[in-house]
Amino acid sequence: MELKRLLHVVLSFWLLLCIGCSDGRFVVEKNSLTVTSPEKIKGTYDSAIGNFGIPQYGGSMAGTVVYPKDNQKACKAFDEFSISFQSKPGSLPTFVLVDRGDCFFALKVWNVQKAGASAVLVADDIEEALITMDTPEEDSSSSKYIENITIPSALIQKSFGEALKKAISGADMVNVNLDWRESVPHPDDRVEYELWTNSNDECGVKCDMLMEFVKDFKGAAQILEKSGYTQFTPHYITWYCPQAFTISKQCKSQCINHGRYCAPDPEQDFSSGYEGKDVVIENLRQLCVFKVANESNKSWLWWDYVTDFQIRCPMKEKKYNKECADAVIKSLGLDSKKIEKCMGDPNADADNPVLKEEQNAQVGKGSRGDVTILPTLVVNNRQYRGKLAKGAVLKAICSGFEETTEPAVCLSDDVETNECLDNNGGCWQDKAANLTACKDTFRGRVCECPLVDGLQFKGDGYSHCEASGPGRCNINNGGCWHKSQDGHTYSACVDTGDVKCQCPPGFRGDGINSCDDIDECKEKKACQCPECSCKDTWGSYECTCSGDLLYIRDHDTCISKSGTEVKSAWAAVWVILIGLAMASGGAYLVYKYRLRSYMDSEIRAIMAQYMPLDSQSEVPNHVSEDRA
């Protein structure tokens, strides 16, 4: 029994370290840390990004460094020492410097986060090259806080840490800027990224986090892939069994193709449950699902297969097998025969082309380094560090696009930096109209004047934004004075012309902060006739006349109501008489020039028949010949 246990330990050790057999190297992913004050340590330094929390990929964060007097290794909760790192309103965020040692990196960061800090700098305790701070082996205690770490952290070298401590102890204000903008290359408008994963769903907290991430990120990944914004490739780490153990029972249970491709036993128990080779075969199947889907220009179907397999074929329900996998493949309309052909024979004493390619890909090339941590995300050939969560990963991928080429999904709520929540990000704001120029993006906040209901505000976005053009008065009255009184609304906003705010008639003021009602009566601007009586009202006035007089506003005068009625009656009579006269004149003119001349010519013709005139040789006869 002890021999079996020892053999298990040796095999596990070799399986985990086999990558080191291939002349590879582990690359520490770094971000830039710039000290802006004090002057004596001012400069830019390297720091190693922690493999937990949420680094602000594509952005930067400025803060003030503090070094606690107690609990300097942060292995205990700071509330035990009545210490808080919560920054005051209007001040820079607090970065806490702690020492390495005595407890896990992640626990240090968790304790500092609970005390209100915005970021953590861990000072190394020995002079060495920077390393990556990783999460501890999962247990019941660590699993409670690892997945809840949300602030960024970085490891710094011992000498730099000592310089920071010295400056702080000398009462200097130490201001630094953590910069992740160059942590991911962003050369063009397409991002290439890889996810190194595993189909094993019984490996503890990390497996649970991976499965949850795949389900959450599937939608965003498929949108990016379908639109051609990204090129995604899944990968699976495989190990090999040392030559001396290839014929052992343990190696045979964990490997396929005669020890060439292996995976650790899921339950770490060779006598029960699933075997490591079951995991290798399913990993191979998922690789072939991607290859077949990619050949059909539907590479995004890999996300559907993996998520469906997790749900329908879990190990704990004893459904992690070929039959369940085939059912998932069939439901997605994939060609199962092509997938089987791609997988090959797992019992053959020969290399499997697909898995051999995976082993070669594990070894670091260029700046990426070896893939030794599961899961690992690689964006534009740079390993991602931090919590494997949808928002954090999407932010890292979006930072890989050349600026101004980011797709719309990169401007969604999932990747907001929430910098606008603190003092409105230092941007312009109109609290009355609930308008702001602050906009959160994955690269950090930007101050841009907003577009509201089709109306573009113009200005620098920081101290000034102003709406202009038709429709501006519909938005908070264009920033002008306005008031409602007695059922009427008065506004000083003017939509057209150079004048933006002008008090309406009856008011006087700057049109922006105030418009005061003019007392027309007191200032004698109305009701100036002797018979007038003036009464001032809001925005106007009322003028009445004594007796039966009627006030005419346009002429500012009073006239008699009866006189007006008499004049109106006589006016009507004169209109009628003039009309009759004009009709009579018209009739007379018709009689004189038309009817009378015709009658005269007829009479002369008749008389000429009986009494010819000497002076008239011929007179036209208008009487017909039949009648003569």
Side-chain angles (χ1 to χ4, degrees), residues 337-406:
K337 291 184 179 180
K338 286 186 177 181
I339 294 173
E340 289 291 332
K341 183 179 179 181
C342 169
M343 293 179 64
D345 182 7
N347 297 314
D349 187 6
D351 286 337
N352 181 293
V354 176
L355 292 178
K356 185 65 176 178
E357 184 179 344
E358 291 298 291
Q359 282 186 341
N360 292 335
Q362 288 173 223
V363 180
K365 298 176 182 178
S367 61
R368 193 203 70 189
D370 296 341
V371 176
T372 58
I373 300 173
L374 271 181
T376 291
L377 186 78
V378 179
V379 182
N380 283 351
N381 207 36
R382 196 74 60 84
Q383 290 192 28
Y384 164 87
R385 299 300 183 204
K387 183 179 180 181
L388 203 63
K390 177 183 177 182
V393 170
L394 186 58
K395 184 180 295 185
I397 291 175
C398 289
S399 68
F401 290 100
E402 183 181 11
E403 291 189 33
T404 73
T405 67
E406 305 92 354

Side-chain angles (χ1 to χ4, degrees), residues 73-90:
K73 292 186 177 180
C75 291
K76 297 180 180 179
F78 281 91
D79 56 6
E80 297 181 18
F81 303 89
S82 301
I83 296 176
S84 173
F85 302 116
Q86 189 71 45
S87 57
K88 297 179 180 180

Side-chain angles (χ1 to χ4, degrees), residues 104 136-146 204-205:
F104 295 125
E137 291 297 324
E138 291 82 3
D139 55 33
S140 57
S141 59
S142 64
S143 62
K144 295 178 181 179
Y145 63 81
I146 292 175
V205 175

Side-chain angles (χ1 to χ4, degrees), residues 2 114 145 155 163 275 307 383 403 423 464 553 564 605:
E2 289 300 325
K114 288 193 298 180
Y145 63 81
L155 180 72
E275 298 177 322
T307 52
Q383 290 192 28
E403 291 189 33
N423 195 33
H464 177 69
R553 180 183 285 264
T564 302

